[in-house]
Amino acid sequence: LIAFDPAIDKLSAEQRFIHRELPRAITAHELEVHYQPIVSSSGGAFVGVEALLRWTHATQGPISPAAFIPVAEQMGLMDSLGTFVLRKALQDAKRWPDLYVAVNLSPLQVRDRGIIDIVRAALSESAVPPSRLMLEITEGVLIDNPDEMIRRIEDLHALGVCVALDDFGSGYSNLSYLQRFPLDKLKIDRSFVTALGQSGNGGVIIQAIVALGRALGLSITVEGVETEQQRVILKLAGCDELQGFLFARPAPAKAIERLIKQSKPAAP
């Protein structure tokens, strides 16, 4: 006799719901792009924003990206969703001429050679300088076909955009492969930040990653900063940029615009 597991039943019911509702939500423009500011560790000034896909369902309310993104991948919708986020982020970037905008690329997008044309078209459409676009990729996609990924990053660089390795430390983190890829930035996974208050060696590990990044000519951003203590430790460790609830939660473009204006010192 197989025991009934309500958690599995709930999960499958949620997946079925998303599978049914997501195409409708895309057509109805229910999905939005929110932004989370990225700040300089030295002065706390805003230096960039990360674009994040959000879905607020008409009756169910907010649906977590962790729930709907995997279903979107299964349904083959990530290409169109990824292009939507890229185009919207670049259009909104015109509101903040002093900031860069970071956009996550899904593994499916990165593996597709057509991503180069999509990025080129989105840049042309928005007229935003390519240097203000930071594309974030995950470690796993680099492992699958390293030679092809090196060419892909070089092609993106040829457009003038920057490329960051997202969630560094959450997966493979093999130092030998890291040297092979022409990256611009490492984003340290939030799990290391969480460990700062719980483990004596958390700060030492981050210092080691920062030293590695420096040796490879990479800038370092840390995600998931939630406390002042974490901010101080990360600044002392030599991190360049910080991101997290301590500074701001993800919000629509208009709210971020107000936040940026408030953060600027008043003219003398």
Side-chain angles (χ1 to χ4, degrees):
L1 184 66
I2 300 174
F4 171 69
D5 187 340
I8 292 176
D9 184 65
K10 181 183 177 186
L11 181 66
S12 61
E14 181 182 48
Q15 286 179 327
R16 288 196 302 271
F17 172 81
I18 293 171
H19 202 280
R20 184 179 70 246
E21 286 292 300
L22 187 55
R24 182 204 58 76
I26 293 171
T27 304
H29 306 291
E30 273 185 14
L31 277 77
E32 300 177 300
V33 179
H34 287 193
Y35 300 90
Q36 186 170 36
I38 301 164
V39 307
S40 164
S41 66
S42 54
F46 287 25
V47 293
V49 292
E50 180 178 2
L52 300 162
L53 188 61
R54 292 291 185 262
W55 178 16
T56 303
H57 189 272
T59 58
Q60 299 298 311
I63 297 177
S64 167
F68 74 79
I69 294 291
V71 177
E73 290 175 342
Q74 293 167 12
M75 297 178 70
L77 297 173
M78 276 314 298
D79 279 351
S80 58
L81 283 177
T83 301
F84 161 70
V85 173
L86 177 65
R87 293 179 63 197
K88 185 71 169 69
L90 284 171
Q91 289 297 326
D92 285 338
K94 291 188 282 192
R95 297 168 175 255
W96 317 303
D98 299 330
L99 308 184
Y100 72 82
V101 60
V103 177
N104 295 279
L105 296 184
S106 75
L108 291 172
Q109 287 177 285
V110 183
R111 292 187 186 107
D112 185 350
R113 177 65 181 79
I115 189 62
I116 306 300
D117 294 331
I118 290 169
V119 173
R120 182 188 291 112
L123 285 166
S124 175
E125 177 186 77
S126 68
V128 169
S131 59
R132 290 182 53 215
L133 176 61
M134 176 75 66
L135 296 174
E136 300 185 0
I137 62 177
T138 53
E139 295 181 60
V141 75
L142 300 181
I143 302 300
D144 296 340
N145 192 335
D147 293 334
E148 183 184 356
M149 287 305 111
I150 289 169
R151 289 192 296 271
R152 188 79 78 254
I153 295 170
E154 288 173 343
D155 288 343
L156 289 169
H157 276 161
L159 296 178
V161 306
C162 298
V163 180
L165 183 60
D166 198 15
D167 299 332
F168 181 75
S170 64
Y172 306 92
S173 304
N174 183 309
L175 303 190
S176 62
Y177 88 70
L178 193 58
Q179 297 178 68
R180 297 182 58 191
F181 297 99
L183 299 161
D184 301 291
K185 174 179 288 191
L186 288 182
K187 291 193 78 174
I188 299 177
D189 186 65
R190 63 183 63 244
S191 60
F192 290 101
V193 180
T194 305
L196 283 178
Q198 305 164 355
S199 163
N201 62 5
V204 175
I205 293 172
I206 289 177
Q207 282 181 315
I209 295 174
V210 171
L212 166 68
R214 291 282 179 271
L216 296 174
L218 306 173
S219 65
I220 308 292
T221 299
V222 188
E223 301 178 280
V225 184
E226 297 188 1
T227 69
E228 181 64 19
Q229 179 193 24
Q230 291 169 347
R231 185 195 70 78
V232 171
I233 293 172
L234 293 167
K235 179 184 176 183
L236 291 173
C239 300
D240 299 295
E241 297 170 359
L242 308 174
Q243 181 179 351
F245 290 171
L246 178 65
F247 312 105
R249 292 177 178 269
K254 287 183 180 178
I256 295 299
E257 193 168 12
R258 288 194 296 271
L259 197 60
I260 291 168
K261 287 177 180 175
Q262 291 167 7
S263 72
K264 289 185 177 178

